[in-house]
């Protein structure tokens, strides 16, 4: 047997995409929407000896041992089919032969190649301030220019809201911010705290369009520096303050409204009560709090420690269920008034980001290197498929700090 037989056994001949190996073997249709190219024996080595197929494939792709040409979404859509292939003795012997291992038993002791250096390793207490800062830095302190290449001028790294079928990404991000401003009932002179402010998109929108006094906090130095520049360029230094500060260290409430957009995934289940309690303490009576976060419809909060996303993208990231979020809000003293899912919107947002990255691929590689650009292409495409299949969701939950039983809200939603 050779690689052709191994491909046939693992993937079958009815594969909707093409897979080609360095020895010329191939499966899949001629006019396939995508082609996976296995470029060298190191890729086979990773796939056979890796602890998990998803992580092994991701490592091989980041290392350049595997290429994905064409529609990457059609490749990732097959993840369930190839995630846990059955390797019988004959297939393992064949794989061993391809790796130059003549003793079959030696294959079981063969260690996988070292992971690419882009893999993140953190130390310290889980969700302690120093470890959280390291996790955030690993993901966000990459290159502001790199993020701009796929996020676009809005520099918004969270789910957009597409109000119309033909909305551009920038228009949809504007709509998202405006929806949140209306849900928070922002008005001239109100004081807003944006937890995890990123590059300042929310505070910019709220100050420009609603006349608020805003504070944005982030623990990413790259985000902090660019957000401050954007505020200054917009002439809003008198209305907006950007701080390099952990949300746990904010003590200058009260705020009339608090937003948290795409930051909650970094909080962690063990810090859930701390997070909600801090928001409650900082919010004025009848003030509103909007939490916009990726959630998990079921299962464990922590991401698979051997999953690609945990190792390369969001180390220590945790996705909670909607019910957990609402229960934690109630426990902290909030009254939850509204919840809305934007799952389909995030799939479309991510597909736009992937298209932007692919269209400016050479610039992205020049900015951060090919391996890191590959990490983002793979994770964003994979996330789009996960939202499409309801493996993950995104929820906006609006809560109010009641004042003696009074919410200050209208009888029906007014946004």
């Amino acid at each position: 047997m050779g690689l052709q037989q191994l491909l046939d056994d693992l993937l079958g001949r009815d594969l909707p995409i093409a897979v080609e190996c360095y020895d010329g073997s191939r499966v899949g249709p001629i006019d396939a929407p995508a082609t996976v190219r296995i470029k060298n024996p190191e890729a086979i080595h990773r796939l056979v000896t890796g602890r998990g197929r998803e992580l092994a494939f991701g490592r091989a792709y980041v290392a350049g041992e595997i290429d994905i040409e064409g529609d990457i979404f059609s490749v990732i859509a097959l993840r369930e089919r190839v995630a846990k292939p059955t390797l019988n003795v004959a297939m393992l012997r064949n794989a061993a032969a391809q790796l130059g291992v003549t003793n079959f038993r030696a294959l079981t002791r063969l260690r996988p190649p070292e992971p690419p250096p882009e893999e993140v390793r953190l130390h310290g207490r889980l969700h302690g301030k120093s470890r959280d800062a390291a996790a955030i830095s690993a993901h966000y302190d990459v290159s502001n220019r790199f993020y701009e290449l796929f996020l676009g001028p809005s520099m918004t790294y969270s789910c957009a809201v597409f109000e119309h079928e033909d909305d551009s990404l920038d228009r949809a991000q504007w709509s998202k911010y405006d929806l949140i401003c209306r849900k928070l009932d922002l008005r001239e002179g109100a004081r807003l705290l944006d937890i995890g402010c990123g590059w300042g998109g929310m505070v910019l929108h709220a100050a420009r369009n609603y006349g608020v006094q805003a504070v944005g906090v982030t623990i990413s130095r790259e985000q902090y520096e660019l957000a401050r520049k954007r505020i200054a360029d917009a002439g809003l230094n008198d209305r907006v303050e950007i701080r390099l500060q952990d949300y746990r260290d904010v003590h200058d409430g009260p705020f009339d409204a608090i937003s948290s957009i795409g930051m909650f995934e970094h909080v962690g289940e063990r810090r859930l009560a701390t997070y909600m309690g801090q928001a409650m303490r900082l919010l004025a009576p009848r003030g509103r709090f909007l939490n916009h976060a990726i959630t998990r419809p079921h299962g464990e909060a922590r991401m698979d420690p051997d999953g690609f996303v945990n190792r390369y993208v969001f180390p220590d990231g945790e996705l909670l269920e909607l019910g957990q979020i609402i229960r934690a809000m109630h426990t902290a003293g909030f009254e939850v008034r509204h919840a809305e899912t934007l799952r389909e919107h995030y799939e479309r947002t991510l597909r736009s980001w992937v298209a932007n990255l692919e269209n400016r691929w050479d610039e992205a590689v020049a900015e951060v290197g090919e391996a890191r650009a590959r990490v983002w292409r793979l994770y964003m495409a994979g996330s789009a498929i996960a939202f499409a299949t309801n493996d993950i969701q995104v929820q906006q939950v609006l809560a109010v700090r009641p004042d003696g039983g009074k919410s200050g809200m209208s009888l029906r939603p007014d946004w």
Side-chain angles (χ1 to χ4, degrees), residues 10 23 52 139 151 179 197 211 217 224 233 285 287 302 315 339 386 396 410:
L10 283 175
D23 69 340
H139 186 83
L151 297 180
L179 174 63
C197 67
V217 297
Y224 165 74
D233 290 348
R302 293 202 64 192
Q396 284 188 358
S410 60

Side-chain angles (χ1 to χ4, degrees), residues 1-3 6 22 41 44 48 89-104 107 110:
M1 290 197 298
L3 281 178
L6 188 63
Y22 51 88
I44 301 294
V48 171
V89 173
M91 293 162 67
L92 285 171
R93 289 185 185 279
N94 186 18
Q98 305 307 316
L99 298 176
V101 179
T102 55
N103 183 345
F104 171 66
L107 181 65
L110 194 63

Side-chain angles (χ1 to χ4, degrees), residues 150-218:
F150 63 87
L151 297 180
S154 76
M155 288 297 285
T156 301
Y157 198 29
S158 53
C159 176
V161 173
F162 294 87
E163 293 184 334
H164 307 98
E165 190 62 34
D166 58 352
D167 278 353
S168 67
L169 177 61
D170 285 341
R171 175 63 193 180
Q173 293 293 12
W174 189 99
S175 297
K176 183 266 299 297
Y177 286 135
D178 208 63
L179 174 63
I180 292 172
C181 288
R182 287 182 277 118
K183 284 182 175 181
L184 290 173
D185 194 31
L186 296 184
R187 300 173 186 269
E188 184 82 26
R191 193 162 186 247
L192 168 70
L193 172 65
D194 188 36
I195 300 175
C197 67
W199 294 277
M202 175 63 187
V203 290
L204 274 168
H205 186 98
R208 280 172 173 159
N209 297 284
Y210 291 85
V212 304
Q213 296 290 323
V215 173
V217 297
T218 176

Side-chain angles (χ1 to χ4, degrees), residues 58-70:
R59 283 172 168 169
Y61 177 67
V62 172
E65 299 157 1
I66 288 176
D67 277 340
I68 301 174
E69 299 176 4

Side-chain angles (χ1 to χ4, degrees), residues 17 50 54-55 67 117 146 158 167 170 204 227-228 251 256 260 281 370:
I17 64 168
E54 175 197 286
L55 181 58
D67 277 340
F146 172 64
S158 53
D167 278 353
D170 285 341
L204 274 168
R228 291 187 70 197
H251 301 299
D256 300 297
S260 177
R281 281 188 294 273
E370 185 166 4

Side-chain angles (χ1 to χ4, degrees), residues 363-377:
E363 294 175 77
V365 170
E367 185 67 27
V368 299
E370 185 166 4
R372 199 169 296 279
R374 283 172 176 251
V375 168
W376 260 254
R377 184 189 183 213

